[in-house]
Amino acid sequence: MIVLGIETSCDECSAAVVRDGHDILSNVIATQIELHKPYQGVVPELASRLHTEWIQQVVEAALMQAGITNKELDAVAVTSRPGLLGSLLVGVSFAKCYAKALGIPFIGIDHIRAHLYASQIENPLEYPYLGVLVSGGHTVICRVDSYDKVDVLGTTIDDAIGEAFDKVAKFYDLGFPGGVVIDRLSKNGDPNAFLFPGPSLDRTEHPYDMSYSGLKTAVINQKDKFRNKDAQDTPENIAASFQRQAVGILMRRVKLALADTGLKRVSAGGGVAANSLLRSELKALEKSGYTVTFPSLKLCTDNGAMVAGLAYCYLKDGYRDNERLSASARVTAFKKF
Ligand code: KG4
Ligand code: ZN
């Protein structure tokens, strides 16, 4: 089954052609990063306007790179929730019309589940496993029993981890997108230059929940309070110290969840899964006997291949959407698992 996957939930305009859920024939990602850079953040109106201008060409490029015509497609899949509403609507409207014109099935896909599925494309992992979804909009630790059965164990109670990376970078004018820049700067910084605090949450009722707004505030407003007296106040040191704690907050919950659930496999996904420190800390779990997978860098951030990949699972089980499907900005579809 050959599926065209379309992703326009934020600032990447992407289309991919994937055969049978794992064979990526093409994965075209037209990034808007340069156009949002002057604002150091994604401007929603600009994002949806660019998707409108680019989508047709991106889909055509995906078909061309896959070496097929649209007549060979078996279905069209599109991210329909959650995300920026205007951006989602461009993809959903396009996908609906495209599928209708070709007379083939069409399905809306949840962006969060697609991120969780991304590593399954390249490194299929046996279920169940602990899913770690870390992106600009979400931070979720969950138990994954199948592509469609995901139970949330913990989430952030305020900022998402990627949002914290982005806001710290924006405040110190380090560059955009923040996560990538902080990851790069950290390589030349001392992670112990500033001992930024982690959250002190009530761990009895929600032991796997996380919080990032306190860390963000400490880095932005109170950094001098946490500086080791011999350490220098450089962007590299701020980046490395922030990153150490941001990843630490997550890893402490991941280890606790693994110990409590007895799960032996872990898979990460989402833009922050591209972070080098997080990847090495997750990988280090292998020394304790866990199996760990995460997507290659291109499949961590938003892309159409993860959409087409997950859609295959639904389609082969008979799921379809009809023309009444709309886009939804909210995460309610995820919460109801
Ligand atoms: O999954 P994604 O492309 O979009 C959302 O669904 O949010 O994730 C984007 C997020 C941004 O916050 C970006 O700063 C972060 O992923 N990111 C990183 C890295 N690469 C991207 N964060 C930390 N380290 C990275 N190497
Ligand atoms: Zn995403």
Side-chain angles (χ1 to χ4, degrees):
M1 184 192 294
I2 300 183
V3 180
L4 171 69
I6 295 176
E7 157 63 46
T8 64
S9 70
C10 191
D11 60 339
E12 318 287 2
C13 189
S14 178
V17 178
V18 179
R19 184 189 286 128
D20 296 341
H22 56 82
D23 187 8
I24 301 178
L25 304 182
S26 67
N27 187 22
V28 175
I29 304 172
T31 180
Q32 303 179 354
I33 285 176
E34 285 305 316
L35 296 143
H36 294 284
K37 229 177 211 168
Y39 312 97
Q40 292 191 58
V42 178
V43 183
E45 166 60 22
L46 188 55
S48 49
R49 207 184 317 155
L50 291 167
H51 286 312
T52 312
E53 288 169 14
W54 294 2
I55 183 100
Q56 176 85 34
Q57 297 164 63
V58 169
V59 167
E60 280 169 11
L63 291 169
M64 202 175 76
Q65 285 185 21
I68 63 163
T69 68
N70 58 17
K71 306 275 178 303
E72 291 166 80
L73 292 172
D74 294 301
V76 181
V78 63
T79 305
S80 60
R81 60 192 184 277
L84 299 173
L85 190 57
S87 292
L88 286 166
L89 273 171
V90 177
V92 169
S93 311
F94 184 93
K96 248 195 265 189
C97 297
Y98 206 70
K100 190 95 184 151
L102 292 169
I104 56 177
F106 152 79
I107 189 161
I109 290 293
D110 183 292
H111 185 68
I112 299 172
R113 290 193 202 199
H115 270 307
L116 276 172
Y117 182 82
S119 69
Q120 292 287 79
I121 299 179
E122 301 164 307
N123 303 301
L125 193 58
E126 219 179 289
Y127 296 107
Y129 59 78
L130 192 79
V132 181
L133 170 82
V134 278
S135 72
H138 302 94
T139 314
V140 179
I141 296 173
C142 50
R143 181 191 163 97
V144 185
D145 282 286
S146 77
Y147 72 86
D148 197 32
K149 181 161 175 14
V150 181
D151 290 309
V152 177
L153 302 175
T155 64
T156 178
I157 59 162
D158 40 55
D159 293 349
I161 182 169
E163 196 180 345
F165 272 90
D166 294 339
K167 286 188 176 155
V168 166
K170 183 172 181 176
F171 182 82
Y172 288 108
D173 210 7
L174 302 178
F176 176 80
V180 179
V181 184
I182 288 182
D183 195 353
R184 196 179 61 233
L185 287 173
S186 295
K187 295 195 185 351
N188 298 314
D190 171 7
N192 293 310
F194 296 82
L195 294 177
F196 293 125
S200 45
L201 297 176
D202 174 7
R203 303 283 286 274
T204 45
E205 259 190 70
H206 302 287
Y208 318 113
D209 274 357
M210 293 149 278
S211 161
Y212 280 95
S213 77
L215 171 63
K216 180 191 70 186
T217 306
V219 179
I220 289 177
N221 295 327
Q222 306 163 328
K223 74 172 159 38
D224 295 329
K225 208 166 115 186
F226 300 106
R227 182 161 66 90
N228 274 330
K229 61 180 180 344
D230 300 327
Q232 297 224 312
D233 185 355
T234 60
E236 289 80 3
N237 283 350
I238 296 171
S241 304
F242 160 75
Q243 180 174 275
R244 179 186 62 83
Q245 186 57 282
V247 171
I249 291 169
L250 179 72
M251 285 306 298
R252 286 192 284 279
R253 271 57 169 195
V254 166
K255 286 177 186 167
L256 187 65
L258 284 172
D260 291 352
T261 58
L263 291 168
K264 290 285 171 234
R265 293 174 286 270
V266 190
S267 178
V272 184
N275 183 266
S276 53
L277 178 64
L278 178 59
R279 287 170 94 87
S280 71
E281 298 225 345
L282 283 169
K283 205 74 193 149
L285 292 171
E286 289 184 342
K287 286 193 225 116
S288 312
Y290 294 101
T291 306
V292 181
T293 62
F294 27 70
S296 58
L297 292 181
K298 199 175 176 189
L299 294 186
C300 284
T301 43
D302 294 346
N303 65 87
M306 66 184 188
V307 178
L310 177 58
Y312 166 75
C313 302
Y314 282 105
L315 290 161
K316 83 172 162 21
D317 284 350
Y319 289 94
R320 305 279 185 272
D321 274 310
N322 62 31
E323 58 279 3
R324 300 229 302 281
L325 180 89
S326 192
S328 164
R330 324 249 306 175
V331 291
T332 46
F334 183 57
K335 285 284 181 192
K336 80 171 187 231
F337 286 161

